[in-house]
Amino acid sequence: DTAVSQTPKYLVTQMGNDKSIKCEQNLGHDTMYWYKQDSKKFLKIMFSYNNKELIINETVPNRFSPKSPDKAHLNLHINSLELGDSAVYFCASSPGTSDYNEQFFGPGTRLTVL
Amino acid sequence: GQNIDQPTEMTATEGAIVQINCTYQTSGFNGLFWYQQHAGEAPTFLSYNVLDGLEEKGRFSSFLSRSKGYSYLLLKELQMKDSASYLCAVMDSNYQLIWGAGTKLIIKP
């Protein structure tokens, strides 16, 4: 069984559209994350969500909004998509937020904005 | 600012040994992670160091020197399947992971 799953795996859309990416983890972890990996392969944290506390990265435009219906799910909604949003988006989870917390990554969603 | 530096690309021969270095400057330190990422796939955990010294795990070892802000990942008996990017990440004082850009390792026969 997949530990961290994301859908869709590929997403191609037009500029200006609104889209969502879903993430689910069945590991019983308390913390979930969204990362963006651009063409230069930098992994940049976008959001982390520990139980009911959302930690927002200030560099993320407010067009990006995470939504967590419960501890096992953290979805990412993107409004008014721009060309620069094209990247691979990874969801991850970890048991908690303190020191030794291995993060488990989903398979990634490759978003292409045309 | 916070910074993680590692070489962009390295090439090594099958069966050999390679050392991938990582230097960091971060606000606080709560451990250093190494992840492996094959092309088109998600990163997977390799190792975690929080105390100085060498941690060995099979063919892979990771070393940390906190006073020097330095770590390396040592891969022995290289196999073709080790061709991947290796990402160094440091957990800062806010328990956020700061990631390096990764080192692309190319293994040649």
Side-chain angles (χ1 to χ4, degrees):
Chain A
D1 287 341
T2 305
V4 183
S5 59
Q6 294 178 230
T7 53
K9 190 168 175 62
Y10 298 95
L11 184 55
V12 182
T13 188
Q14 300 289 327
M15 261 195 321
N17 284 350
D18 302 338
K19 290 293 179 184
S20 292
I21 308 172
K22 296 184 177 181
C23 178
E24 177 182 1
Q25 54 97 1
N26 61 8
L27 298 167
H29 287 168
D30 287 339
T31 307
M32 296 184 73
Y33 311 82
W34 275 109
Y35 285 92
K36 178 181 180 182
Q37 189 172 42
D38 59 24
S39 57
K40 295 182 179 179
K41 305 302 180 187
F42 268 107
L43 261 176
K44 292 182 182 176
I45 182 74
M46 299 177 71
F47 304 101
S48 61
Y49 205 103
N50 184 49
N51 285 321
K52 295 183 180 179
E53 184 180 353
L54 175 66
I55 302 169
I56 298 174
N57 187 312
E58 294 179 0
T59 63
V60 178
N62 58 15
R63 297 182 295 104
F64 291 79
S65 55
K67 287 182 170 48
S68 180
D70 54 58
K71 201 172 76 167
H73 296 83
L74 183 62
N75 304 324
L76 183 65
H77 189 75
I78 315 170
N79 288 328
S80 304
L81 278 155
E82 301 177 357
L83 293 176
D85 297 333
S86 295
V88 180
Y89 292 83
F90 286 102
C91 176
S93 73
S94 66
T97 56
S98 62
D99 45 52
Y100 177 56
N101 267 297
E102 175 187 343
Q103 292 188 13
F104 294 80
F105 284 79
T109 296
R110 183 174 294 277
L111 171 64
T112 304
V113 182
L114 303 175
Chain B
Q2 308 203 90
N3 200 43
I4 311 285
D5 286 318
Q6 46 182 135
T8 304
E9 188 174 295
M10 298 181 71
T11 303
T13 305
E14 191 176 14
I17 298 173
V18 71
Q19 178 176 309
I20 302 174
N21 295 325
C22 171
T23 58
Y24 62 89
Q25 296 107 35
T26 56
S27 55
F29 180 83
N30 280 302
L32 185 144
F33 294 78
W34 283 97
Y35 279 77
Q36 180 190 60
Q37 185 177 24
H38 284 100
E41 297 183 10
T44 55
F45 170 82
L46 287 178
S47 68
Y48 171 75
N49 294 69
V50 67
L51 300 176
D52 289 351
L54 188 68
E55 296 276 345
E56 296 187 74
K57 192 186 292 186
R59 294 189 299 114
F60 292 9
S61 303
S62 56
F63 172 83
L64 175 68
S65 169
R66 288 171 296 170
S67 62
K68 295 182 180 178
Y70 167 71
S71 172
Y72 67 72
L73 181 69
L74 191 71
L75 292 77
K76 302 176 184 176
E77 301 169 16
L78 284 168
Q79 302 174 10
M80 297 304 292
K81 67 178 182 180
D82 297 330
S83 292
S85 287
Y86 292 86
L87 306 172
C88 174
V90 173
M91 186 164 279
D92 69 8
S93 56
N94 294 319
Y95 298 103
Q96 294 287 328
L97 271 183
I98 310 301
W99 294 82
T103 298
K104 183 178 180 181
L105 178 63
I106 300 168
I107 309 296
K108 295 185 175 179

